[in-house]
């Protein structure tokens, strides 16, 4: 029982660490051009909201507590239909991860995230843990 507890804690710490690394890579490789500042801010804020929600839902599942017990930032800019779907699904982390991946792909293609393909691939690998 004691060893399972520590194994679980270790896995949670590892997941948080690799998610943080992927998250920080995306911030670091945002386009630095002043004319793209608005798009970059919007991307970073959406990324921040989704990562906050992902961690909240993950901790909620681990502890068996309602996700409202954990503080997270409200989703702004995501339509009502999507948020209702998220509320009603039992696979919240999968949905949020799909939203994160879609956000990254769209902003990589548009040039908001100016990241080399091997590093971007690494970000996706870290998010998939």
């Amino acid at each position: 029982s004691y060893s399972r507890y520590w194994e679980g804690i270790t896995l949670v710490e590892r997941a948080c660490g690799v998610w943080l690394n992927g998250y920080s890579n995306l911030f670091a490789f945002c386009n630095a051009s002043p004319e793209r500042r608005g798009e970059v801010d919007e991307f970073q804020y959406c990324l921040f909201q989704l990562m906050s929600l992902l961690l909240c839902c993950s901790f909620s599942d681990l502890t068996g507590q309602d996700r409202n017990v954990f503080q997270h930032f409200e989703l702004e800019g995501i339509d009502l239909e999507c948020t209702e779907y998220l509320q009603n699904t039992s696979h919240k982390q999968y949905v949020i991860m799909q939203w994160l991946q879609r956000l990254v792909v769209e902003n990589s293609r548009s040039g908001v995230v100016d990241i080399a393909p091997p590093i971007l691939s690494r970000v996706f690998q870290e998010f998939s843990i």
Side-chain angles (χ1 to χ4, degrees), residues 1-108:
S1 170
Y2 182 75
S3 64
R4 284 191 311 221
Y5 168 80
W6 282 109
E7 180 182 3
I9 292 296
T10 301
L11 292 172
V12 168
E13 288 291 324
R14 181 170 177 244
C16 289
V18 294
W19 285 348
L20 176 62
N21 192 41
Y23 175 78
S24 64
N25 277 329
L26 291 171
F27 261 72
F29 285 96
C30 281
N31 196 315
S33 173
E35 50 273 351
R36 302 296 297 265
R37 188 74 227 158
E39 293 171 280
V40 168
D41 287 346
E42 185 178 323
F43 166 73
Q44 289 177 340
Y45 186 66
C46 191
L47 180 64
F48 173 74
Q49 290 179 98
L50 290 174
M51 288 300 296
S52 171
L53 188 60
L54 178 64
L55 288 168
C56 174
C57 289
S58 297
F59 291 145
S60 174
D61 277 0
L62 286 171
T63 63
Q65 294 180 324
D66 184 77
R67 79 176 173 94
N68 293 326
V69 171
F70 299 97
Q71 292 183 356
H72 65 88
F73 290 85
E74 293 301 319
L75 297 177
E76 296 176 12
I78 296 178
D79 65 37
L80 184 60
E81 185 179 338
C82 290
T83 55
E84 286 176 355
Y85 177 79
L86 184 64
Q87 288 286 22
N88 297 320
T89 186
S90 59
H91 303 289
K92 290 177 180 33
Q93 291 91 334
Y94 299 122
V95 172
I96 297 165
M97 190 59 70
Q98 182 61 42
W99 290 352
L100 275 166
Q101 291 174 348
R102 198 70 222 135
L103 176 73
V104 172
V105 167
E106 288 172 0
N107 283 278
S108 175

